[in-house]
Amino acid sequence: MDEALLKQISTGLRKAALNQETKAYILSNPILFNTLKKAADRYIGGDTLTETIDKVKAQNKNGFKCSIEFMGESTRTEEHANEARIEFLEICKAIKSQGLNATVSLDLSHIGLSISEDLCFNNLDLICREAATGDIEIIISAEDTERTDAVLKTYIDISKIHQHVGITLQAYLFRTKDDFENVVKLNGRIRMVKGAFETPSGLSLSRGEELDNLYLGYVKKLLSKNHLCSIATHDQSIQQEVKKMIQIYNVKSNSYEFESLFGIQTQQLQDLKDEGHPAKIYFVYGKEWYLYLCNRLAEYPLNVFQALNDILRA
Ligand SMILES: Cc1cc2nc3c(=O)[nH]c(=O)nc-3n(C[C@H](O)[C@H](O)[C@H](O)COP(=O)(O)OP(=O)(O)OC[C@H]3O[C@@H](n4cnc5c(N)ncnc54)[C@H](O)[C@@H]3O)c2cc1C
């Protein structure tokens, strides 16, 4: 298919993803909701934690570690932020009581960052306290560039009182060069991603060789220090390069993991696991799947055809 057309589709989907009016319209329209949900199902753990836990258990049995996120971002009221916190506490309790090999991931704007930094910090603190009772790792996601400062500040502050908290860094942002130096001083896991959000011009690199080299540069620094890290990309050529680094630096298997989103390039992760590398599947669940679906289609527009197929087949 024409590359320019794919790029147009991708840009359109990213804009649709961020448009709150479109999102509200789709989520409130039962026909559209149910139709698009058929496409989303391939990427989500389910509507509920219980459904997701069943999938996590199955993947644990297959030898994969898992990450669980209750989907949502940009929570606008304190009540909703606190409801999200309660759900994350339930995830921690389920992981502990059911002995799952799983960690928790979250967007800070889901637990109140867009409302107040204090509200977010208090909610995060409560989640980390519960997680600590089961030695469960919490990894904070990277959001859009307007929130990067607040997300990193919260991460640095929470790291002063809790262990087992990690952060996601987006290699495509120019500022990550400095942010990386600040967070690598802390012990928490650093999850390296390329970056999913549209940014204002001048703040980020587009996909391509330069970004891939930058990404590899960050991973090399982490692996050479045996710093806890997650190689969170579906890019097979990067995964292959990282494998070589792991050998060169004789990296301990408890300090790194390859991590993929559920439903994406599953065979690649399976192969990595079969070769003996720690491999992790990232599950999201809940009803706020609209932005997530748009991002998965936008980053690989050929998925649009699969989505149409899922919609028509179901
Ligand atoms: C565990 C995890 C956590 C993440 N957390 C965040 C976060 O907190 N903040 C954030 O901004 N981003 C996050 N992302 C998304 C990330 O930033 C990228 O947008 C996403 O992973 C696509 O980039 P990539 O490096 O996988 O591959 P790309 O460079 O986009 O593509 C390279 C190749 O990977 C494969 N591929 C990539 N995407 C898909 C897809 N959707 N379907 C099928 N194949 C695909 C294709 O073969 C493609 O040619 C996360 C990703 C992962 C895996």
Side-chain angles (χ1 to χ4, degrees), residues 9-283:
I9 295 175
S10 175
T11 309
L13 282 164
R14 283 196 205 282
K15 290 199 187 306
L18 295 174
N19 187 308
Q20 293 300 325
E21 230 175 275
T22 313
K23 177 178 156 187
Y25 178 70
I26 288 174
L27 294 183
S28 65
N29 180 314
I31 296 176
L32 281 177
F33 181 94
N34 289 325
T35 305
L36 287 177
K37 173 79 184 347
K38 291 175 187 165
D41 277 342
R42 127 180 341 266
Y43 303 113
I44 66 177
D47 287 354
T48 62
L49 176 59
T50 311
E51 286 170 72
T52 309
I53 283 176
D54 286 343
K55 292 200 173 108
V56 167
K57 278 184 183 161
Q59 295 299 349
N60 280 173
K61 236 180 177 172
N62 292 336
F64 291 100
K65 196 171 168 184
C66 295
S67 190
I68 307 177
E69 178 189 351
F70 171 51
M71 266 180 292
E73 30 72 51
S74 305
T75 303
R76 300 263 167 244
T77 66
E78 186 167 341
E79 190 192 348
H80 287 152
N82 291 339
E83 280 168 11
R85 181 243 302 155
I86 291 167
E87 184 72 23
F88 280 107
L89 293 176
E90 290 304 315
I91 302 177
C92 295
K93 287 176 192 161
I95 293 175
K96 187 177 154 190
S97 66
Q98 303 196 41
L100 306 176
N101 185 4
T103 60
V104 177
S105 286
L106 48 75
D107 278 5
L108 292 183
S109 70
H110 195 185
I111 55 166
L113 191 65
S114 326
I115 304 160
S116 114
E117 288 187 20
D118 283 348
L119 170 69
C120 171
F121 189 84
N122 290 337
N123 276 337
L124 182 61
D125 179 36
L126 291 170
I127 295 167
C128 289
R129 279 171 199 239
E130 181 62 43
T133 65
D135 269 347
I136 300 164
E137 190 181 34
I138 305 283
I139 304 191
I140 297 170
S141 296
E143 304 191 40
D144 64 43
T145 50
E146 280 177 20
R147 297 195 180 120
T148 313
D149 278 329
V151 168
L152 289 170
K153 178 179 179 302
T154 308
Y155 169 61
I156 289 167
D157 289 348
I158 203 82
S159 296
K160 291 177 189 150
I161 51 172
H162 289 288
Q163 296 178 334
H164 307 308
V165 189
I167 186 77
T168 308
L169 292 181
Q170 298 156 315
Y172 74 158
L173 293 186
F174 295 120
R175 60 170 289 166
T176 295
K177 189 171 166 283
D178 299 324
D179 296 335
F180 181 91
E181 294 308 328
N182 288 330
V183 300
V184 82
K185 292 177 198 149
L186 306 172
N187 292 330
R189 187 180 302 276
I190 299 182
R191 174 194 280 143
M192 285 309 309
V193 299
K194 286 193 193 175
F197 297 83
E198 282 272 284
T199 72
S201 68
L203 298 189
S204 65
L205 272 173
S206 318
R207 290 290 190 272
E209 206 181 322
E210 197 179 346
L211 174 57
D212 291 351
N213 288 335
L214 202 57
Y215 184 98
L216 283 167
Y218 290 126
V219 173
K220 187 175 171 179
K221 282 190 189 163
L222 293 167
L223 294 176
S224 63
K225 290 179 200 289
N226 256 299
H227 195 291
L228 280 182
C229 66
S230 160
I231 298 102
T233 176
H234 311 101
D235 188 326
Q236 195 167 27
S237 58
I238 289 192
Q239 290 169 339
Q240 295 306 316
E241 284 306 310
V242 171
K243 270 165 47 180
K244 290 182 205 160
M245 292 180 193
I246 288 165
Q247 244 192 340
I248 293 170
Y249 295 110
N250 198 14
V251 186
K252 293 190 208 129
S253 66
N254 58 1
S255 65
Y256 73 95
E257 61 199 17
F258 285 100
E259 192 172 10
S260 288
L261 302 177
F262 173 64
I264 295 179
Q265 303 296 355
T266 36
Q267 189 57 47
Q268 283 172 213
L269 196 70
Q270 176 77 43
D271 292 344
L272 289 162
K273 181 186 74 71
D274 291 346
E275 289 164 20
H277 296 286
K280 191 175 190 184
I281 300 175
Y282 188 117
F283 281 99

